[in-house]
Amino acid sequence: MILYGPPGSGKDTVTNELTRLRADFALFERLKTGPGRTTGYRLTTVGQIEELSRAGGLLYRNARYGSEYAIDRHGVAALVDANRIPVLHMGQVVGASAVAAFPLHWIRVVLWCPLEVTESRSIGRGDKDVDARVKVWHETREDLLAHETEPWTLTLRTDQMSPTESANSIIDALAATASAESRNIRELVG
């Protein structure tokens, strides 16, 4: 599952609610090197990310907030092998597309909130780089507009829904797409 959205859109909050409601959801902890937050990441070095990249072990890699982040095949596979549904947090449409290289039924969810909500949530959680997060909100908006034909399973306004409502909408979408795929297979084989 991919949760895409700007800073403050609720990726962490909705993920926490998903994992509270169902034990098979698990946050995919991206590899990270650099300053800032450490919770929710597997800390590593640029050299290790480079090595994984050369070996074809990365699905996606990006830099933001003075740090480098990576989504590695092994990390996703470990969650899948443990019968968990990996929940990936994304801030770039190209990244949401890149992870499709991993053979998994990906549910793609846009979590959205207005700029003033991002700013308020960022201040409220004590971010020291609120201006950078506001800048990224604008970048995320432009990214979505530049890829407006990109297919998304679900779009949610997290400023208009509670975390529980958002998580339940995602769970319902997951069940609906699994059911539709099952029907398509039945139609295929008669």
Side-chain angles (χ1 to χ4, degrees):
M1 166 166 317
I2 297 166
L3 299 183
Y4 169 93
S9 62
K11 294 181 290 288
D12 286 331
T13 303
V14 171
T15 299
N16 289 338
E17 190 63 11
L18 284 167
T19 59
R20 187 188 71 77
L21 293 171
R22 285 188 36 186
D24 54 340
F25 286 105
L27 172 65
F28 173 81
E29 294 183 335
R30 289 179 289 164
L31 296 170
K32 178 183 179 181
T33 181
R37 219 171 84 168
T38 58
T39 304
Y41 298 100
R42 291 175 289 144
L43 300 180
T44 189
T45 66
V46 172
Q48 289 172 324
I49 291 175
E50 285 291 335
E51 186 177 319
L52 282 169
S53 181
R54 284 191 299 274
L58 296 183
L59 294 167
Y60 183 65
R61 177 182 185 178
N62 71 298
R64 189 166 264 169
Y65 306 120
S67 295
E68 187 159 342
Y69 304 88
I71 297 172
D72 61 311
R73 290 177 185 278
H74 174 75
V76 174
L79 287 175
V80 172
D81 290 347
N83 293 315
R84 307 294 297 277
I85 299 169
V87 181
L88 279 66
H89 294 181
M90 301 296 292
Q92 302 83 24
V93 173
V94 68
S97 298
V99 299
F102 190 91
L104 189 64
H105 172 74
W106 291 101
I107 299 294
R108 297 162 38 105
V109 180
V110 174
L111 300 180
W112 191 255
C113 64
L115 175 59
E116 58 274 8
V117 173
T118 284
E119 195 169 18
S120 173
R121 288 176 177 172
S122 186
I123 292 167
R125 65 186 184 199
D127 292 338
K128 298 190 184 342
D129 57 352
V130 175
D131 289 341
R133 293 181 188 276
V134 165
K135 180 179 183 278
V136 170
W137 183 94
H138 287 288
E139 291 170 359
T140 306
R141 181 180 181 277
E142 291 304 313
D143 188 32
L144 274 174
L145 291 172
H147 297 93
E148 63 183 277
T149 60
E150 190 74 22
W152 298 97
T153 308
L154 188 63
T155 58
L156 302 172
R157 284 280 306 265
T158 60
D159 60 311
Q160 298 176 352
M161 304 173 76
S162 72
T164 302
E165 290 169 325
S166 296
N168 280 323
S169 293
I170 292 168
I171 291 167
D172 291 347
L174 179 63
T177 59
S179 176
E181 287 176 356
S182 180
R183 282 193 305 272
N184 290 340
I185 294 297
R186 280 191 223 111
E187 292 167 7
L188 176 68
V189 297

